[in-house]
């Protein structure tokens, strides 16, 4: 980064990588080399889809999982296998002997995933943080209270540190995707008293945030001044069910012959139309909401909406920090890029999430057998469209990841969705529940194929025999079903058929499902369950491997964001990544920090 800046909040390492690496550059090179060249990793992160688990013979597990791994995976209980992947001492395990000893190649693969995954342990730097007052914590659940408490304290310390080094305080903190504005409300309240610009695209979220501001005493809603005598006379003349419907009252007033002047004195504006007012006091924090449908990192439109009322701040004197807790998909990219594109953004601190919502910058890759289709090629038409979009705002951000190995590193939506998992937090009961749901869905896909509801799709030249490497099946997006549909496989199949033949959102399936599966019997459903019941362990083992391996996917995505900032060293004087939440409370706990020169 050139000149050394003495930021006390900066962690020892710019990325929380394993101590096995001697430098950040050694870690980055090893990580990208593994992500680009490990066929097994690429298969498990993007090539395995639960829908096609049982649609080939002998099946995805036998065809795709290394043969020397299979006995160990099938003989190890699910929770014991998760312990092996994430918690056991692998040096001691590899010395075991016996029928359930893991093969050395599996042990080495697990060591590699652990080695290249960013460290997620969290040690708060402050022994004690301000407790959120009850009126500020309104609407927050335990997870949100943890996130807001720790991140507000982190932002406060970071801002003070930057101001100490740079000699100037921040004028505003811009919250990308503020939602209900829990973070902004906390930072605007004592003891922080920051000036917050809450940028939110959904007006319903903004309205909800303002309601919470009123409940917390941070703002007041405009009081109606109305002709009460005339108003009560109107209420007596209409049906009581319409008393809270302002539009119905307006119509009724006109029908009753009231003049426009009389109607005006009734003040029949809806609750949404009443203004929310914020008192500006010297030394106190402020909140300003801006409707922003962000599709890029240029904040010109956002800044143009600022009233600039706090302390008489002028546009050309703005010194802002872009912040966000769990900005979804590309919104994290916009927040990080905002420091490069906007002179007034002097620092960023962004915690991302929802990697499945990222768009792709590089487009579809070229393929090499045997891992061609399963590795990266999208099947779902929507995924294909996203892959071909070549969005310059999408993943990857950095030049290094975009060009690594010549073609760059890509992750399809399946890999990015798996990176949103939190396998370290899975409990026995929770994991059994979603393993069962996935098992039901995989067997139902086999029924769909056998019954002709869907067809097989070949990739490349049509083959005489279908394998996980040359084919897939048409996806049928069912979504969630009622809770009782997961009590048995029969209930699941019946619930799926009902939804696909009656729900208006699935009208494209109504006829084909009715024709092909309307007469399926309970005995036939039971026979499918019996055929595949003993193979549920195959599915749970592979799903565990997928979620565990995807820790490297998240590490690549976060590292790419850090690399993007480092590559702009003419603008960025320092940047780093560190944990800001307890993983058990909030698994997406890595913040990307950048500070402008």
């Amino acid at each position: 980064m050139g000149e050394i800046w003495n930021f006390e909040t900066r962690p020892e390492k710019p990325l929380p990588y394993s101590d096995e690496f001697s430098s950040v550059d050694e870690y980055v090179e090893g990580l990208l080399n593994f992500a680009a060249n490990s066929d097994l990793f690429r298969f498990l992160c993007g090539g395995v889809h639960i829908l096609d688990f049982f649609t080939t013979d002998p099946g995805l597990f036998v065809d795709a999982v290394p043969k020397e791994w299979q006995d160990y995976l099938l003989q190890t209980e699910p929770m014991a296998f998760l312990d092996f992947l994430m918690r056991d001492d692998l040096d001691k395990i590899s010395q075991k002997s016996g029928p359930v000893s893991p093969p050395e190649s599996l042990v080495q693969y697990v060591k590699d995933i652990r080695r290249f995954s960013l460290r997620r342990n969290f040690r708060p730097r402050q022994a004690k943080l301000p407790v959120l007052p009850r009126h500020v914590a309104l609407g927050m659940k335990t997870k949100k209270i943890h996130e807001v408490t720790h991140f507000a304290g982190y932002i406060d310390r970071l801002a003070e540190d930057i101001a100490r080094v740079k000699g100037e305080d921040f004028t505003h903190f811009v919250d990308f995707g503020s939602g209900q504005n829990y973070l902004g409300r906390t930072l605007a309240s004592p003891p922080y008293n920051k000036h917050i610009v809450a940028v939110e695209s959904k007006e319903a979220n903004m309205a909800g945030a303002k309601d919470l501001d009123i409940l917390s005493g941070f703002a007041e809603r405009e009081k109606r001044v109305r002709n009460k005598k005339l108003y009560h006379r109107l209420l007596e003349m209409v049906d009581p069910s319409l008393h809270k419907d302002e539009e119905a009252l307006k119509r009724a007033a006109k029908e009753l012959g009231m003049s426009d002047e009389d109607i005006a004195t009734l003040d029949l504006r809806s609750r949404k139309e009443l203004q929310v007012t914020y008192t500006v006091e010297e030394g106190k924090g402020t909140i300003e909401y801006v409707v922003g449908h962000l599709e890029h990192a240029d904040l010109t439109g956002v800044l143009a909406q600022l009233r600039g009322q706090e302390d008489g701040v002028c546009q050309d004197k703005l010194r802002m920090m872009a912040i966000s807790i769990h900005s979804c998909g590309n919104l994290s990219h916009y927040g990080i890029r905002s420091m490069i594109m906007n002179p007034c953004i002097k620092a960023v601190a962004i915690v991302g999430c929802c990697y499945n919502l990222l768009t792709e910058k590089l487009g579809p890759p070229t393929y090499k057998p045997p891992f061609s289709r399963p590795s990266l090629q999208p099947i779902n038409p929507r995924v294909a469209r996203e892959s071909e979009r070549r969005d310059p705002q999408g993943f990857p951000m950095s030049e290094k990841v975009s060009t690594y190995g010549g073609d760059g590193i890509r992750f399809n939506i399946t890999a990015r969705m798996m990176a949103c998992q939190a396998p370290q937090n899975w409990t026995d009961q929770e994991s059994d529940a979603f393993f069962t749901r996935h098992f039901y869905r995989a067997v139902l896909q086999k029924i769909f194929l056998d019954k002709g509801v869907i067809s097989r799709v070949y990739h490349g030249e049509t083959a005489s025999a279908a394998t996980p490497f040359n084919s897939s099946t048409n996806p049928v997006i069912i979504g969630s079903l009622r809770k009782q549909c997961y009590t048995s496989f029969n209930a699941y199949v019946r619930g799926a058929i009902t939804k696909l033949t009656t729900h208006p959102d699935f009208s494209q399936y109504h006829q084909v499902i009715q024709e092909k599966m309307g007469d399926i019997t309970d005995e036939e459903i039971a026979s499918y369950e019996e055929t595949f019941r003993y193979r549920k362990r195959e599915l749970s083992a592979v799903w565990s491997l997928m979620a565990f391996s995807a820790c490297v996917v998240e590490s690549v995505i976060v590292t790419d964001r850090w690399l993007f900032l480092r590559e702009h060293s003419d603008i960025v004087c320092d940047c780093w990544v560190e944990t800001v939440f307890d993983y058990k409370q909030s698994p997406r706990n890595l913040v990307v920090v950048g500070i402008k020169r």
Side-chain angles (χ1 to χ4, degrees):
M1 283 290 178
E3 185 179 355
I4 297 176
W5 299 80
N6 183 28
F7 295 112
E8 293 177 354
T9 50
R10 190 188 196 278
E12 182 180 348
K13 299 176 182 177
L15 289 172
Y17 55 84
S18 168
D19 290 337
E20 296 178 55
F21 298 95
S22 60
S23 69
V24 67
D25 290 324
E26 182 188 351
Y27 167 73
V28 170
E29 180 59 33
L31 171 70
L32 299 186
N33 180 63
F34 179 79
N37 297 311
S38 170
D39 284 337
L40 189 55
F41 166 75
R42 288 160 61 82
F43 180 75
L44 288 169
C45 291
V48 180
H49 200 290
I50 215 70
L51 295 184
D52 288 322
F53 210 86
F54 300 129
T55 57
T56 56
D57 189 31
L60 189 147
F61 181 83
V62 174
D63 278 341
V65 175
K67 186 171 179 58
E68 67 269 23
W69 293 14
Q70 293 176 14
D71 285 345
Y72 176 76
L73 298 185
L74 294 177
Q75 294 182 55
T76 306
E77 290 299 314
M79 291 307 295
F81 185 53
L82 289 172
D83 285 338
F84 163 69
L85 293 177
M86 293 173 289
R87 290 176 280 272
D88 290 344
D89 185 332
L90 296 182
D91 291 329
K92 293 180 179 178
I93 280 188
S94 61
Q95 296 170 4
K96 285 184 179 180
S97 61
V100 293
S101 294
E104 190 54 43
S105 60
L106 173 59
V107 173
Q108 185 57 53
Y109 179 77
V110 174
K111 284 183 176 180
D112 286 339
I113 296 296
R114 290 191 187 184
R115 191 159 57 102
F116 292 119
S117 297
L118 292 173
R119 309 296 94 169
R120 309 303 288 274
N121 52 303
F122 172 56
R123 293 191 183 92
R125 296 196 189 185
Q126 278 182 285
K128 191 173 183 180
L129 288 165
V131 177
L132 296 185
R134 179 177 291 184
H135 67 276
V136 174
L138 281 172
M140 297 190 205
K141 296 183 178 179
T142 302
K143 176 177 181 288
K144 182 58 67 177
I145 290 174
H146 174 84
E147 292 168 348
V148 169
T149 299
H150 285 280
F151 202 54
Y154 182 86
I155 292 297
D156 184 53
R157 284 183 286 111
L158 178 64
E160 286 185 358
D161 192 20
I162 297 172
R164 175 187 59 80
V165 174
K166 299 287 188 178
E168 289 183 290
D169 289 327
F170 287 96
T171 60
H172 296 76
F173 295 78
V174 185
D175 189 352
F176 279 74
S178 56
Q180 299 293 307
N181 200 32
Y182 297 123
L183 175 62
R185 191 173 302 109
T186 300
L187 285 170
S189 302
Y192 304 117
N193 295 310
K194 309 295 187 189
H195 297 309
I196 304 300
V197 179
V199 183
E200 174 58 44
S201 63
K202 297 178 181 177
E203 292 192 28
N205 283 346
M206 194 175 294
K210 290 181 178 180
D211 286 342
L212 288 172
D213 289 342
I214 293 167
L215 290 172
S216 66
F218 210 92
E220 292 183 352
R221 193 178 298 281
E222 180 185 3
K223 299 288 192 298
R224 284 190 177 96
V225 179
R226 58 170 42 135
N227 185 328
K228 293 184 180 179
K229 184 177 181 180
L230 192 59
Y231 179 70
H232 286 297
R233 185 162 43 133
L234 175 62
L235 294 183
E236 290 172 358
M237 299 172 72
V238 300
D239 190 292
S241 64
L242 302 177
H243 284 185
K244 293 186 178 181
D245 187 337
E246 284 82 2
E247 290 302 317
L249 290 175
K250 287 178 185 177
R251 291 193 298 270
K254 288 187 177 182
E255 290 170 3
L256 292 169
M258 290 187 182
S259 66
D260 289 341
E261 291 82 2
D262 284 342
I263 293 175
T265 66
L266 295 176
D267 196 354
L268 295 177
R269 288 177 295 168
S270 67
R271 189 166 173 271
K272 289 183 179 179
E273 293 175 293
L274 298 175
Q275 296 295 314
V276 178
T277 59
Y278 294 80
T279 302
V280 178
E281 299 179 38
E282 187 174 351
K284 297 290 185 67
T286 59
I287 299 173
E288 187 163 355
Y289 290 94
V290 175
V291 178
H293 296 275
L294 295 174
E295 295 183 357
H296 45 69
D298 184 354
L299 297 182
T300 302
V302 170
L303 298 177
Q305 297 182 56
L306 291 183
R307 297 188 302 274
Q309 62 182 10
E310 307 88 358
D311 300 327
V313 172
C314 299
Q315 289 278 342
D316 59 352
K317 294 184 179 179
L318 292 173
R319 290 181 52 81
M320 311 174 92
M321 181 189 292
I323 61 175
S324 183
I325 294 180
H326 296 157
S327 45
C328 293
N330 282 10
L331 193 57
S332 294
H333 288 187
Y334 303 154
I336 292 168
R337 280 195 175 95
S338 70
M339 187 173 71
I340 308 301
M341 296 183 65
N342 302 275
C344 63
I345 302 294
K346 305 299 183 182
V348 296
I350 305 291
V351 183
C353 74
C354 300
Y355 307 123
N356 53 302
L357 298 179
L358 287 170
T359 55
E360 299 173 29
K361 183 171 79 172
L362 302 178
T366 55
Y367 303 102
K368 297 178 182 178
F371 293 97
S372 55
R373 196 293 292 177
S375 178
L376 289 166
Q377 187 173 358
I379 302 307
N380 184 293
R382 182 185 72 79
V383 179
R385 288 194 299 272
E386 287 296 311
S387 179
E388 294 167 1
R389 182 178 169 188
R390 296 178 182 268
D391 181 3
Q393 305 286 340
F395 170 82
M397 294 183 73
S398 69
E399 184 69 15
K400 185 173 183 65
V401 179
S402 297
T403 59
Y404 190 83
D407 292 330
I409 293 176
R410 300 159 170 82
F411 292 126
N412 68 7
I413 191 171
T414 303
R416 288 183 275 111
M417 187 173 290
M418 292 306 299
C420 299
Q421 296 286 325
Q424 289 92 331
N425 288 350
W426 292 355
T427 65
D428 193 357
Q429 185 176 3
E430 289 170 341
S431 57
D432 182 65
F434 59 70
F435 289 153
T436 298
R437 292 196 298 271
H438 295 325
F439 172 73
Y440 286 172
R441 182 63 188 89
V443 178
L444 179 59
Q445 189 77 354
K446 172 64 172 169
I447 297 177
F448 283 161
L449 182 63
D450 290 351
K451 291 288 187 178
V453 172
I454 58 173
S455 58
R456 189 175 299 284
V457 180
Y458 285 93
H459 311 284
E461 296 183 6
T462 301
S464 57
T467 74
F469 305 101
N470 68 8
S471 70
S472 63
T473 55
N474 302 125
V476 177
I477 309 303
I478 297 175
S480 60
L481 300 174
R482 298 189 311 274
K483 189 175 181 179
Q484 56 264 39
C485 292
Y486 298 99
T487 56
S488 70
F489 183 59
N490 186 286
Y492 180 83
V493 173
R494 296 297 181 193
I497 291 174
T498 298
K499 184 174 184 178
L500 292 173
T501 55
T502 62
H503 198 288
D505 290 347
F506 298 88
S507 58
Q508 71 271 33
Y509 299 121
H510 287 186
Q511 185 175 350
V512 66
I513 295 289
Q514 192 62 50
E515 288 179 358
K516 305 291 186 179
M517 295 187 62
D519 60 351
I520 192 169
T521 64
D522 290 347
E523 290 74 21
E524 196 171 2
I525 294 172
S527 70
Y528 272 96
E529 182 179 19
E530 185 61 29
T531 298
F532 291 99
R533 184 196 306 275
Y534 74 98
R535 297 175 63 181
K536 179 181 176 183
R537 180 71 196 109
E538 296 178 8
L539 187 147
S540 66
V542 172
W543 184 264
S544 297
L545 273 169
M546 290 165 62
F548 169 65
S549 300
C551 294
V552 169
V553 175
E554 182 173 26
S555 297
V556 172
I557 292 172
V558 173
T559 297
D560 169 62
R561 295 171 178 179
W562 174 78
L563 284 168
F564 171 81
L565 290 173
R566 191 173 76 158
E567 288 171 355
H568 287 81
S569 58
D570 57 325
I571 297 173
V572 181
C573 72
D574 207 346
C575 56
W576 65 80
V577 173
E578 63 179 313
T579 56
V580 285
F581 310 132
D582 184 337
Y583 184 93
K584 291 182 179 179
Q585 293 276 357
S586 184
R588 309 282 77 81
N589 67 345
L590 295 169
V591 63
V592 179
V593 174
I595 304 170
K596 186 172 283 187
R597 289 193 176 280

